[in-house]
Amino acid sequence: MSEVFSSEVFLAYSTYSTVVLLKMLLMGPLTGYFRVTRKVFVNPEDARAHGDKDEETSKKYLRIDPDVERVRRCHQNDLENIVPFVGIGLLYALSGPDLSTAVMHFRIFAASRIFHSIAYLVPLPQPSRGLSWIVGMGVTFSMVYRVLKAGVHL
């Protein structure tokens, strides 16, 4: 088992999974930053804590802001794509792929997710965000195919 965890493929998987998970983790504080700087909250206690202490006056901070929602949607998209990559990528890394092919999969996925966030937050014109999502999803499905192909015992 220690050979598996010290293999070059597993180390590459660990590195790129850590990169995309860190990117996803940073989206939470970024959402909080946007909420605080724009004084936009969804909970009354947050509005009171960061705005006027008066309950009636703090209600004006209970609203929706397009910039906050954009960051939240970007974070949601990360959850929908990075979490499956981490699980499928682990199975893929354990299926014994060629190192260069595995590294290519991991790098392309990480780059597509980073570019997706940039395209979402800037925002860049479409189809940049859509294409980056498709590339990342394609990589994930490629790994799914390879895991299933390696594990088929009919």
Side-chain angles (χ1 to χ4, degrees), residues 19-141:
V19 167
V20 294
L21 286 168
L22 175 62
K23 190 214 85 54
M24 184 175 70
L25 283 171
L26 292 174
M27 295 305 293
L30 186 61
T31 303
Y33 170 79
F34 272 76
R35 284 198 181 285
V36 170
T37 58
R38 285 156 176 76
K39 294 196 177 280
V40 174
F41 305 100
V42 293
N43 299 309
E45 63 273 15
D46 297 336
R48 283 191 302 276
H50 294 284
D52 294 326
K53 303 303 178 201
D54 177 51
E55 190 170 327
E56 284 303 312
T57 311
S58 66
K59 284 184 181 178
K60 69 181 177 185
Y61 300 123
L62 295 173
R63 57 191 172 91
I64 295 174
D65 180 82
D67 293 332
V68 173
E69 290 305 306
R70 180 170 285 279
V71 177
R72 282 179 14 84
R73 287 190 307 271
C74 184
H75 192 189
Q76 180 65 39
N77 194 277
D78 278 351
L79 290 167
E80 294 167 357
N81 290 274
I82 292 173
V83 172
F85 166 80
V86 170
I88 292 164
L90 176 60
L91 296 175
Y92 174 67
L94 296 175
S95 71
D98 175 65
L99 176 61
S100 62
T101 304
V103 169
M104 179 189 67
H105 277 87
F106 303 149
R107 284 181 180 166
I108 292 172
F109 182 84
S112 75
R113 291 313 304 172
I114 291 167
F115 183 77
H116 182 271
S117 292
I118 292 167
Y120 218 133
L121 298 175
V122 167
L124 297 178
Q126 281 288 40
S128 57
R129 188 179 80 239
L131 289 174
S132 63
W133 176 81
I134 288 170
V135 167
M137 188 61 71
V139 167
T140 303
F141 277 116

